[in-house]
Amino acid sequence: MIQVQNLDFSYSKKSQLFSQLNWESRTGNIIGMLGKNGAGKSSFLRILAGLLFPNSGQVSVLGFSPEQRNQTFLSEVFFVPDENFLPGYLPAERYQQILQPFYPRFDSEIFTRLLDRFEVDSQEKIKNLSFGQQKKVGLAMALSSGCALILLDEPTNGLDISSKSAFRKELISVLSEDQTVVIATHLIRDLENTLDRVMILDQGQIKLDADLSDLADSLHFGVSQSEVSGAIYSQSSALGVQFIQERTTQAQTVVNLELLFEGVTSGVPIASFLSKTNSLTA
């Protein structure tokens, strides 16, 4: 679905953001792209959407070069930026009616149900909605679009706790097996129990790219009252010492995404402890 080869990208008069970056993705995954603020998450999504152009290298999405903005490509990719992109003078229902013809598999029934689930008044002009409600309209559009690739930039930013929970549930229930979602976020806890795969972007490179199932098979996550011998990574917390170990005979544990992220961005070579057949590294 996505192939990125030797990607170089920089903004004018700024230092290089990506250098010789490589990445690929298959169909049918919910992928979390994690990174600190300024790591380039939003820029990477915009390159995939064809809104920013590489300085060099090749990017292929659904067999198309995004920067060419082919009509078929545009009908199969839906991008929701972090900032509001909706026309304020229209109510959500009218905006959906205008946009729907551009997406062949758009499901208006799902859109109506999602707005109801998100408690958004479809008849109210978008400019009169709060930032969080406007974000919900954009997410409802994306999840109703039927697009093969959905790109979400900080989708839970501005949502309250109940709305975040509703978003996670709807994301899982609405998607079909032939759809792929890439979610860029620094709010790691908001993605728990949602992702199939995690990609960590740091210092212009992809430091880890692996399925959650492979991480759970290969690594043991735990908490101890003291330092653990042989830990790959550990840090103190209010609960004690949180740690990551290579899994041998231990029972499988839930992947602690926050601890994993801290370990990877601290320079720990987590990828070297994963199954070579199931993990993808840059």
Side-chain angles (χ1 to χ4, degrees), residues 3-282:
Q3 289 186 323
V4 179
Q5 297 178 320
N6 302 320
L7 172 66
D8 288 345
F9 176 79
S10 62
Y11 291 98
S12 59
K13 299 181 181 180
K14 291 188 177 182
S15 59
Q16 193 154 7
L17 189 58
F18 303 129
S19 177
Q20 295 295 291
L21 187 145
N22 295 283
W23 187 63
E24 63 181 36
S25 169
R26 56 186 179 270
T27 301
N29 278 332
I30 300 176
I31 304 166
M33 181 168 61
L34 312 182
K36 299 175 182 177
N37 286 331
K41 302 184 299 298
S42 298
S43 298
F44 191 74
L45 290 188
R46 290 178 181 275
I47 290 171
L48 295 182
L51 298 173
L52 291 176
F53 308 141
N55 299 126
S56 63
Q58 294 183 330
V59 178
S60 175
V61 177
L62 302 169
F64 297 94
S65 174
E67 61 186 282
Q68 294 180 0
R69 307 286 287 170
N70 179 278
Q71 181 178 341
T72 303
F73 166 80
L74 293 176
S75 69
E76 290 292 349
V77 177
F78 201 106
F79 173 52
V80 179
D82 185 21
E83 68 275 8
N84 177 41
F85 67 101
L86 305 170
Y89 60 92
L90 292 175
E93 183 179 63
R94 180 55 183 152
Y95 179 58
Q96 172 256 315
Q97 293 170 351
I98 293 172
L99 208 62
Q100 180 172 342
F102 293 96
Y103 300 97
R105 293 186 299 281
F106 194 98
D107 192 322
S108 58
E109 292 184 2
I110 290 179
F111 180 74
T112 300
R113 180 176 65 79
L114 288 177
L115 287 190
D116 182 62
R117 179 78 165 88
F118 292 154
E119 299 181 339
V120 175
D121 183 357
S122 63
Q123 304 301 317
E124 183 67 59
K125 287 185 178 181
I126 292 172
K127 66 180 180 181
N128 296 330
L129 301 176
S130 68
F131 176 78
Q133 288 178 315
Q134 292 179 14
K135 177 64 72 74
K136 293 174 190 177
V137 175
L139 293 175
M141 290 293 300
L143 298 182
S144 306
S145 68
C147 289
L149 178 62
I150 298 174
L151 306 171
L152 305 178
D153 190 5
E154 302 288 357
T156 58
N157 186 26
L159 302 186
D160 57 31
I161 294 175
S162 61
S163 297
K164 291 177 181 180
S165 176
F167 164 69
R168 288 193 296 267
K169 291 177 181 177
E170 295 297 341
L171 175 65
I172 294 172
S173 65
V174 167
L175 294 181
S176 61
E177 293 182 356
D178 61 350
Q179 289 181 287
T180 297
V181 181
V182 182
I183 304 174
T185 187
H186 70 284
L187 302 173
I188 300 173
R189 286 189 179 181
D190 291 348
L191 297 179
E192 289 178 345
N193 305 317
T194 303
L195 304 178
D196 301 309
R197 181 174 161 192
V198 61
M199 181 257 274
I200 296 178
L201 185 63
D202 188 50
Q203 297 178 345
Q205 291 294 321
I206 296 172
K207 298 297 181 68
L208 178 72
D209 182 16
D211 290 342
L212 266 291
S213 59
D214 189 35
L215 290 166
D217 285 342
S218 304
L219 302 174
H220 176 77
F221 296 81
V223 180
S224 173
Q225 295 306 308
S226 59
E227 291 294 333
V228 176
S229 176
I232 299 170
Y233 176 74
S234 63
Q235 67 177 21
S236 297
S237 71
L239 300 175
V241 178
Q242 295 181 304
F243 65 90
I244 306 173
Q245 282 182 319
E246 186 173 11
R247 182 171 174 245
T248 53
T249 60
Q250 305 99 318
Q252 191 176 80
T253 53
V254 175
V255 176
N256 184 329
L257 287 175
E258 284 191 320
L259 191 63
L260 179 75
F261 177 79
E262 292 296 332
V264 171
T265 55
S266 296
V268 178
I270 298 290
S272 64
F273 295 92
L274 304 183
S275 167
K276 302 305 180 183
T277 58
N278 293 327
S279 63
L280 299 169
T281 56

